[in-house]
Amino acid sequence: MKKQTNQLIKQTTKIKFKHLNFWYNGKQILYDVTLDMYKNQITALIGPSGCGKSTLIRCINRMNDLIAVAKAKGEIRYNDENIFEKEYDVVKLRKKIGMVFQKPNPFPMSIFENVAYGLRVDKLKDKKKLRKIVEDSLKKAELWEEVKDRLDLSAFRLSGGQQQRLCIARALAINPDVILLDEPCSALDPIATAKIESLLLKLKKEMTIVIVTHNMQQAKRISDHAIYLLNGKVIEYSQTTQMFENPQDNLTKDYW
């Protein structure tokens, strides 16, 4: 992997990978991933299908723990704490690191209750505060004006793009520090995709964002830094403009 640029090093580190290796059912998926992700930046994970992008992003909030045949070695340090330590509070971790999946996955309940779900799990009973957080989260997700008069309707009544923004609002409601997105626009039309991209550019002012994307133009449009993965290995990591305009590795050049 090429060395990170001086511009990158000056950023504040939010997530640090140190020699991360990952196996699924005995097959190695990630090899010696060592890099930093930076605060209030959008980092894009790019590369061909099956290269380990989704596995890497799911390591950050330990979602891979739910897979019995999964095994990770190495470190991921979030706010300078190793999340793989036995005593680390995984529930707390997932409250601070939200996840949005490839396909919109609203719960079978109302628009309001979808956003309020995590707050109710946290036993927030103050109705006034609950409604305020739901409204604020929908506003941050740029969905409030579209749904404010139908909060009691089923979330399934929304369009695909609206459902994905609802899922983002649900993640925002618990006040995360980091948002992980695994190809959030792959099932959306260009207009819905543009709304999601505009939203992410605004949200990075408040949080750190990591996005998996197959869309090279999307990575160029919204990310500050890009990681090119191939066969589970980090081939190149740099500022996005540098990677697309002046890639340092021939394997990266071949991918374009």
Side-chain angles (χ1 to χ4, degrees):
M1 187 188 79
K2 300 298 180 185
K3 291 184 178 179
Q4 297 175 28
T5 65
N6 289 333
Q7 294 101 312
L8 284 176
I9 294 171
K10 292 177 183 177
Q11 300 288 341
T12 301
T13 297
K14 174 60 66 173
I15 302 165
K16 180 184 288 289
F17 294 78
K18 296 179 71 175
H19 305 294
L20 176 69
N21 292 273
F22 183 88
W23 293 263
Y24 178 80
N25 202 22
K27 179 182 178 182
Q28 190 160 4
I29 308 297
L30 297 174
Y31 295 82
D32 199 38
V33 175
T34 299
L35 55 85
D36 292 355
M37 292 179 176
Y38 299 94
K39 182 179 180 180
N40 297 115
Q41 301 287 289
I42 298 177
T43 301
L45 299 177
I46 59 178
S49 297
C51 69
K53 300 184 300 296
S54 293
T55 299
L56 181 61
I57 204 172
R58 288 166 183 257
C59 284
I60 298 173
N61 67 348
R62 288 184 53 178
M63 281 201 67
N64 291 319
D65 288 14
L66 304 174
I67 305 171
V69 293
K71 177 185 176 184
K73 291 186 70 175
E75 291 186 13
I76 298 178
R77 303 191 74 85
Y78 165 61
N79 289 337
D80 209 29
E81 291 185 90
N82 182 11
I83 68 170
F84 290 133
E85 293 288 349
K86 289 183 179 180
E87 65 274 15
Y88 197 89
D89 188 337
V90 180
V91 174
K92 182 179 178 181
L93 174 72
R94 291 176 184 154
K95 287 179 181 178
K96 299 308 294 179
I97 302 182
M99 184 93 184
V100 177
F101 298 93
Q102 181 175 1
K103 293 182 179 180
N105 62 335
F107 299 150
M109 53 184 67
S110 71
I111 293 168
F112 182 93
E113 289 301 331
N114 262 271
V115 183
Y117 182 82
L119 301 170
R120 294 197 189 281
V121 170
D122 269 351
K123 296 182 171 55
L124 177 61
K125 296 180 180 179
D126 185 324
K127 291 183 179 180
K128 187 176 181 180
K129 187 174 182 180
L130 188 72
R131 293 194 69 85
K132 180 70 166 58
I133 295 174
V134 169
E135 179 178 339
D136 288 347
S137 300
L138 287 167
K139 284 179 176 177
K140 285 183 180 180
E142 298 189 348
L143 190 58
W144 174 251
E145 291 301 324
E146 297 169 45
V147 303
K148 63 182 180 181
D149 297 323
R150 47 181 178 147
L151 294 175
D152 293 332
L153 287 183
S154 168
F156 296 132
R157 298 280 295 275
L158 299 176
S159 69
Q162 289 173 325
Q163 287 184 15
Q164 193 64 298
R165 280 183 284 146
L166 179 67
C167 293
I168 293 173
R170 188 174 66 201
L172 294 176
I174 57 173
N175 193 31
D177 185 39
V178 178
I179 290 281
L180 311 174
L181 303 107
D182 193 353
E183 295 188 63
C185 302
S186 64
L188 305 182
D189 61 52
I191 293 174
T193 295
K195 288 182 178 180
I196 297 289
E197 290 180 1
S198 175
L199 168 60
L200 296 180
L201 288 169
K202 292 178 181 178
L203 288 176
K204 79 169 186 177
K205 297 174 183 177
E206 303 177 30
M207 60 196 66
T208 302
I209 297 172
V210 186
I211 181 170
V212 169
T213 181
H214 276 293
N215 186 330
M216 297 300 98
Q217 293 305 312
Q218 180 175 74
K220 288 176 70 174
R221 285 192 297 266
I222 69 169
S223 69
D224 301 286
H225 311 131
I227 300 168
Y228 174 47
L229 280 170
L230 181 65
N231 298 324
K233 299 176 182 178
V234 175
I235 303 301
E236 190 161 344
Y237 178 32
S238 67
Q239 291 187 332
T240 301
T241 51
Q242 177 181 317
M243 183 175 292
F244 280 92
E245 295 174 6
N246 187 29
Q248 300 299 297
D249 195 289
N250 287 331
L251 290 172
T252 312
K253 295 176 184 178
D254 292 343
Y255 188 58
W256 307 152

PDB file of all heavy atoms in Angstrom, residues 192-216:
ATOM      1  N   ALA A 192     -33.051  10.238  -6.596  1.00  0.00           N
ATOM      2  CA  ALA A 192     -32.952   9.822  -5.196  1.00  0.00           C
ATOM      3  C   ALA A 192     -31.494   9.735  -4.765  1.00  0.00           C
ATOM      4  O   ALA A 192     -31.145  10.101  -3.636  1.00  0.00           O
ATOM      5  CB  ALA A 192     -33.649   8.475  -5.004  1.00  0.00           C
ATOM      6  N   THR A 193     -30.642   9.269  -5.667  1.00  0.00           N
ATOM      7  CA  THR A 193     -29.208   9.182  -5.371  1.00  0.00           C
ATOM      8  C   THR A 193     -28.627  10.566  -5.102  1.00  0.00           C
ATOM      9  O   THR A 193     -27.855  10.759  -4.153  1.00  0.00           O
ATOM     10  CB  THR A 193     -28.460   8.524  -6.553  1.00  0.00           C
ATOM     11  OG1 THR A 193     -28.901   7.164  -6.680  1.00  0.00           O
ATOM     12  CG2 THR A 193     -26.955   8.538  -6.335  1.00  0.00           C
ATOM     13  N   ALA A 194     -29.018  11.549  -5.907  1.00  0.00           N
ATOM     14  CA  ALA A 194     -28.515  12.915  -5.725  1.00  0.00           C
ATOM     15  C   ALA A 194     -28.928  13.479  -4.367  1.00  0.00           C
ATOM     16  O   ALA A 194     -28.152  14.193  -3.716  1.00  0.00           O
ATOM     17  CB  ALA A 194     -29.024  13.811  -6.848  1.00  0.00           C
ATOM     18  N   LYS A 195     -30.139  13.140  -3.916  1.00  0.00           N
ATOM     19  CA  LYS A 195     -30.608  13.614  -2.612  1.00  0.00           C
ATOM     20  C   LYS A 195     -29.781  12.998  -1.484  1.00  0.00           C
ATOM     21  O   LYS A 195     -29.431  13.680  -0.517  1.00  0.00           O
ATOM     22  CB  LYS A 195     -32.086  13.294  -2.434  1.00  0.00           C
ATOM     23  CG  LYS A 195     -33.005  14.146  -3.291  1.00  0.00           C
ATOM     24  CD  LYS A 195     -34.474  13.821  -3.038  1.00  0.00           C
ATOM     25  CE  LYS A 195     -35.383  14.721  -3.868  1.00  0.00           C
ATOM     26  NZ  LYS A 195     -36.814  14.428  -3.639  1.00  0.00           N
ATOM     27  N   ILE A 196     -29.479  11.709  -1.610  1.00  0.00           N
ATOM     28  CA  ILE A 196     -28.665  11.037  -0.590  1.00  0.00           C
ATOM     29  C   ILE A 196     -27.265  11.645  -0.564  1.00  0.00           C
ATOM     30  O   ILE A 196     -26.703  11.925   0.505  1.00  0.00           O
ATOM     31  CB  ILE A 196     -28.581   9.522  -0.858  1.00  0.00           C
ATOM     32  CG1 ILE A 196     -29.966   8.865  -0.772  1.00  0.00           C
ATOM     33  CG2 ILE A 196     -27.606   8.854   0.118  1.00  0.00           C
ATOM     34  CD1 ILE A 196     -30.548   8.782   0.601  1.00  0.00           C
ATOM     35  N   GLU A 197     -26.685  11.875  -1.726  1.00  0.00           N
ATOM     36  CA  GLU A 197     -25.329  12.442  -1.787  1.00  0.00           C
ATOM     37  C   GLU A 197     -25.294  13.845  -1.172  1.00  0.00           C
ATOM     38  O   GLU A 197     -24.369  14.174  -0.420  1.00  0.00           O
ATOM     39  CB  GLU A 197     -24.849  12.471  -3.237  1.00  0.00           C
ATOM     40  CG  GLU A 197     -24.571  11.085  -3.811  1.00  0.00           C
ATOM     41  CD  GLU A 197     -24.100  11.135  -5.250  1.00  0.00           C
ATOM     42  OE1 GLU A 197     -23.965  12.254  -5.806  1.00  0.00           O
ATOM     43  OE2 GLU A 197     -23.856  10.062  -5.832  1.00  0.00           O
ATOM     44  N   SER A 198     -26.286  14.663  -1.497  1.00  0.00           N
ATOM     45  CA  SER A 198     -26.367  16.005  -0.921  1.00  0.00           C
ATOM     46  C   SER A 198     -26.482  15.935   0.595  1.00  0.00           C
ATOM     47  O   SER A 198     -25.838  16.704   1.322  1.00  0.00           O
ATOM     48  CB  SER A 198     -27.563  16.751  -1.514  1.00  0.00           C
ATOM     49  OG  SER A 198     -27.742  18.002  -0.889  1.00  0.00           O
ATOM     50  N   LEU A 199     -27.270  14.988   1.071  1.00  0.00           N
ATOM     51  CA  LEU A 199     -27.449  14.795   2.511  1.00  0.00           C
ATOM     52  C   LEU A 199     -26.135  14.420   3.181  1.00  0.00           C
ATOM     53  O   LEU A 199     -25.771  14.978   4.227  1.00  0.00           O
ATOM     54  CB  LEU A 199     -28.504  13.708   2.735  1.00  0.00           C
ATOM     55  CG  LEU A 199     -28.658  13.149   4.149  1.00  0.00           C
ATOM     56  CD1 LEU A 199     -29.042  14.251   5.115  1.00  0.00           C
ATOM     57  CD2 LEU A 199     -29.705  12.044   4.151  1.00  0.00           C
ATOM     58  N   LEU A 200     -25.390  13.495   2.599  1.00  0.00           N
ATOM     59  CA  LEU A 200     -24.132  13.047   3.199  1.00  0.00           C
ATOM     60  C   LEU A 200     -23.112  14.175   3.274  1.00  0.00           C
ATOM     61  O   LEU A 200     -22.377  14.297   4.259  1.00  0.00           O
ATOM     62  CB  LEU A 200     -23.561  11.862   2.412  1.00  0.00           C
ATOM     63  CG  LEU A 200     -24.410  10.584   2.407  1.00  0.00           C
ATOM     64  CD1 LEU A 200     -23.730   9.488   1.594  1.00  0.00           C
ATOM     65  CD2 LEU A 200     -24.687  10.100   3.824  1.00  0.00           C
ATOM     66  N   LEU A 201     -23.075  15.016   2.262  1.00  0.00           N
ATOM     67  CA  LEU A 201     -22.146  16.145   2.272  1.00  0.00           C
ATOM     68  C   LEU A 201     -22.465  17.114   3.409  1.00  0.00           C
ATOM     69  O   LEU A 201     -21.563  17.730   3.986  1.00  0.00           O
ATOM     70  CB  LEU A 201     -22.186  16.863   0.924  1.00  0.00           C
ATOM     71  CG  LEU A 201     -21.528  16.100  -0.239  1.00  0.00           C
ATOM     72  CD1 LEU A 201     -21.852  16.767  -1.567  1.00  0.00           C
ATOM     73  CD2 LEU A 201     -20.021  16.002  -0.049  1.00  0.00           C
ATOM     74  N   LYS A 202     -23.732  17.241   3.759  1.00  0.00           N
ATOM     75  CA  LYS A 202     -24.121  18.090   4.879  1.00  0.00           C
ATOM     76  C   LYS A 202     -23.816  17.407   6.215  1.00  0.00           C
ATOM     77  O   LYS A 202     -23.337  18.036   7.153  1.00  0.00           O
ATOM     78  CB  LYS A 202     -25.604  18.436   4.792  1.00  0.00           C
ATOM     79  CG  LYS A 202     -25.949  19.354   3.625  1.00  0.00           C
ATOM     80  CD  LYS A 202     -27.445  19.617   3.552  1.00  0.00           C
ATOM     81  CE  LYS A 202     -27.771  20.513   2.359  1.00  0.00           C
ATOM     82  NZ  LYS A 202     -29.230  20.748   2.243  1.00  0.00           N
ATOM     83  N   LEU A 203     -24.084  16.105   6.275  1.00  0.00           N
ATOM     84  CA  LEU A 203     -23.911  15.379   7.536  1.00  0.00           C
ATOM     85  C   LEU A 203     -22.453  15.281   7.966  1.00  0.00           C
ATOM     86  O   LEU A 203     -22.161  15.180   9.156  1.00  0.00           O
ATOM     87  CB  LEU A 203     -24.505  13.968   7.420  1.00  0.00           C
ATOM     88  CG  LEU A 203     -26.026  13.866   7.381  1.00  0.00           C
ATOM     89  CD1 LEU A 203     -26.449  12.423   7.173  1.00  0.00           C
ATOM     90  CD2 LEU A 203     -26.646  14.418   8.664  1.00  0.00           C
ATOM     91  N   LYS A 204     -21.527  15.318   7.022  1.00  0.00           N
ATOM     92  CA  LYS A 204     -20.115  15.158   7.405  1.00  0.00           C
ATOM     93  C   LYS A 204     -19.609  16.307   8.272  1.00  0.00           C
ATOM     94  O   LYS A 204     -18.580  16.195   8.922  1.00  0.00           O
ATOM     95  CB  LYS A 204     -19.225  14.965   6.174  1.00  0.00           C
ATOM     96  CG  LYS A 204     -18.885  16.234   5.425  1.00  0.00           C
ATOM     97  CD  LYS A 204     -17.793  15.950   4.401  1.00  0.00           C
ATOM     98  CE  LYS A 204     -17.323  17.246   3.743  1.00  0.00           C
ATOM     99  NZ  LYS A 204     -16.217  17.009   2.808  1.00  0.00           N
ATOM    100  N   LYS A 205     -20.349  17.406   8.296  1.00  0.00           N
ATOM    101  CA  LYS A 205     -19.979  18.510   9.178  1.00  0.00           C
ATOM    102  C   LYS A 205     -20.151  18.117  10.648  1.00  0.00           C
ATOM    103  O   LYS A 205     -19.523  18.682  11.535  1.00  0.00           O
ATOM    104  CB  LYS A 205     -20.823  19.742   8.869  1.00  0.00           C
ATOM    105  CG  LYS A 205     -20.620  20.297   7.473  1.00  0.00           C
ATOM    106  CD  LYS A 205     -21.591  21.422   7.193  1.00  0.00           C
ATOM    107  CE  LYS A 205     -21.444  21.935   5.757  1.00  0.00           C
ATOM    108  NZ  LYS A 205     -22.442  22.989   5.448  1.00  0.00           N
ATOM    109  N   GLU A 206     -21.030  17.111  10.884  1.00  0.00           N
ATOM    110  CA  GLU A 206     -21.344  16.700  12.249  1.00  0.00           C
ATOM    111  C   GLU A 206     -20.765  15.338  12.618  1.00  0.00           C
ATOM    112  O   GLU A 206     -20.682  15.002  13.794  1.00  0.00           O
ATOM    113  CB  GLU A 206     -22.859  16.647  12.440  1.00  0.00           C
ATOM    114  CG  GLU A 206     -23.581  17.946  12.142  1.00  0.00           C
ATOM    115  CD  GLU A 206     -25.079  17.814  12.272  1.00  0.00           C
ATOM    116  OE1 GLU A 206     -25.540  16.979  13.084  1.00  0.00           O
ATOM    117  OE2 GLU A 206     -25.801  18.527  11.559  1.00  0.00           O
ATOM    118  N   MET A 207     -20.424  14.527  11.624  1.00  0.00           N
ATOM    119  CA  MET A 207     -19.988  13.163  11.916  1.00  0.00           C
ATOM    120  C   MET A 207     -19.035  12.658  10.847  1.00  0.00           C
ATOM    121  O   MET A 207     -18.810  13.305   9.820  1.00  0.00           O
ATOM    122  CB  MET A 207     -21.201  12.234  12.025  1.00  0.00           C
ATOM    123  CG  MET A 207     -22.051  12.162  10.776  1.00  0.00           C
ATOM    124  SD  MET A 207     -23.685  11.442  11.098  1.00  0.00           S
ATOM    125  CE  MET A 207     -24.412  12.695  12.149  1.00  0.00           C
ATOM    126  N   THR A 208     -18.482  11.484  11.104  1.00  0.00           N
ATOM    127  CA  THR A 208     -17.577  10.822  10.173  1.00  0.00           C
ATOM    128  C   THR A 208     -18.377   9.812   9.361  1.00  0.00           C
ATOM    129  O   THR A 208     -19.217   9.101   9.904  1.00  0.00           O
ATOM    130  CB  THR A 208     -16.449  10.121  10.956  1.00  0.00           C
ATOM    131  OG1 THR A 208     -15.766  11.107  11.746  1.00  0.00           O
ATOM    132  CG2 THR A 208     -15.468   9.434  10.040  1.00  0.00           C
ATOM    133  N   ILE A 209     -18.115   9.733   8.057  1.00  0.00           N
ATOM    134  CA  ILE A 209     -18.902   8.886   7.168  1.00  0.00           C
ATOM    135  C   ILE A 209     -17.979   7.950   6.395  1.00  0.00           C
ATOM    136  O   ILE A 209     -16.948   8.374   5.864  1.00  0.00           O
ATOM    137  CB  ILE A 209     -19.728   9.744   6.197  1.00  0.00           C
ATOM    138  CG1 ILE A 209     -20.744  10.598   6.978  1.00  0.00           C
ATOM    139  CG2 ILE A 209     -20.450   8.874   5.168  1.00  0.00           C
ATOM    140  CD1 ILE A 209     -21.471  11.626   6.146  1.00  0.00           C
ATOM    141  N   VAL A 210     -18.356   6.686   6.354  1.00  0.00           N
ATOM    142  CA  VAL A 210     -17.648   5.686   5.545  1.00  0.00           C
ATOM    143  C   VAL A 210     -18.670   5.058   4.617  1.00  0.00           C
ATOM    144  O   VAL A 210     -19.711   4.577   5.071  1.00  0.00           O
ATOM    145  CB  VAL A 210     -16.981   4.605   6.414  1.00  0.00           C
ATOM    146  CG1 VAL A 210     -16.135   3.680   5.538  1.00  0.00           C
ATOM    147  CG2 VAL A 210     -16.133   5.225   7.513  1.00  0.00           C
ATOM    148  N   ILE A 211     -18.395   5.070   3.308  1.00  0.00           N
ATOM    149  CA  ILE A 211     -19.356   4.565   2.340  1.00  0.00           C
ATOM    150  C   ILE A 211     -18.707   3.558   1.395  1.00  0.00           C
ATOM    151  O   ILE A 211     -17.617   3.794   0.867  1.00  0.00           O
ATOM    152  CB  ILE A 211     -19.995   5.723   1.543  1.00  0.00           C
ATOM    153  CG1 ILE A 211     -21.032   5.203   0.537  1.00  0.00           C
ATOM    154  CG2 ILE A 211     -18.947   6.591   0.862  1.00  0.00           C
ATOM    155  CD1 ILE A 211     -21.865   6.296  -0.113  1.00  0.00           C
ATOM    156  N   VAL A 212     -19.371   2.426   1.214  1.00  0.00           N
ATOM    157  CA  VAL A 212     -18.997   1.459   0.179  1.00  0.00           C
ATOM    158  C   VAL A 212     -19.764   1.832  -1.081  1.00  0.00           C
ATOM    159  O   VAL A 212     -20.979   2.060  -1.033  1.00  0.00           O
ATOM    160  CB  VAL A 212     -19.365   0.023   0.602  1.00  0.00           C
ATOM    161  CG1 VAL A 212     -19.216  -0.944  -0.582  1.00  0.00           C
ATOM    162  CG2 VAL A 212     -18.503  -0.433   1.763  1.00  0.00           C
ATOM    163  N   THR A 213     -19.077   1.938  -2.202  1.00  0.00           N
ATOM    164  CA  THR A 213     -19.763   2.248  -3.446  1.00  0.00           C
ATOM    165  C   THR A 213     -19.086   1.569  -4.628  1.00  0.00           C
ATOM    166  O   THR A 213     -17.855   1.444  -4.666  1.00  0.00           O
ATOM    167  CB  THR A 213     -19.841   3.773  -3.679  1.00  0.00           C
ATOM    168  OG1 THR A 213     -20.533   4.021  -4.905  1.00  0.00           O
ATOM    169  CG2 THR A 213     -18.470   4.415  -3.729  1.00  0.00           C
ATOM    170  N   HIS A 214     -19.921   1.128  -5.584  1.00  0.00           N
ATOM    171  CA  HIS A 214     -19.410   0.623  -6.862  1.00  0.00           C
ATOM    172  C   HIS A 214     -19.399   1.739  -7.899  1.00  0.00           C
ATOM    173  O   HIS A 214     -18.889   1.553  -9.004  1.00  0.00           O
ATOM    174  CB  HIS A 214     -20.298  -0.525  -7.378  1.00  0.00           C
ATOM    175  CG  HIS A 214     -19.953  -1.849  -6.788  1.00  0.00           C
ATOM    176  ND1 HIS A 214     -18.759  -2.484  -7.041  1.00  0.00           N
ATOM    177  CD2 HIS A 214     -20.635  -2.672  -5.967  1.00  0.00           C
ATOM    178  CE1 HIS A 214     -18.727  -3.644  -6.395  1.00  0.00           C
ATOM    179  NE2 HIS A 214     -19.851  -3.772  -5.737  1.00  0.00           N
ATOM    180  N   ASN A 215     -19.991   2.864  -7.544  1.00  0.00           N
ATOM    181  CA  ASN A 215     -20.141   3.986  -8.465  1.00  0.00           C
ATOM    182  C   ASN A 215     -18.933   4.911  -8.344  1.00  0.00           C
ATOM    183  O   ASN A 215     -18.819   5.678  -7.394  1.00  0.00           O
ATOM    184  CB  ASN A 215     -21.442   4.729  -8.130  1.00  0.00           C
ATOM    185  CG  ASN A 215     -21.768   5.824  -9.127  1.00  0.00           C
ATOM    186  OD1 ASN A 215     -20.886   6.432  -9.718  1.00  0.00           O
ATOM    187  ND2 ASN A 215     -23.054   6.090  -9.292  1.00  0.00           N
ATOM    188  N   MET A 216     -18.020   4.824  -9.311  1.00  0.00           N
ATOM    189  CA  MET A 216     -16.804   5.623  -9.251  1.00  0.00           C
ATOM    190  C   MET A 216     -17.115   7.113  -9.283  1.00  0.00           C
ATOM    191  O   MET A 216     -16.454   7.916  -8.612  1.00  0.00           O
ATOM    192  CB  MET A 216     -15.872   5.268 -10.414  1.00  0.00           C
ATOM    193  CG  MET A 216     -15.366   3.833 -10.412  1.00  0.00           C
ATOM    194  SD  MET A 216     -14.415   3.420  -8.942  1.00  0.00           S
ATOM    195  CE  MET A 216     -15.664   2.606  -7.949  1.00  0.00           C
TER     196      MET A 216
END
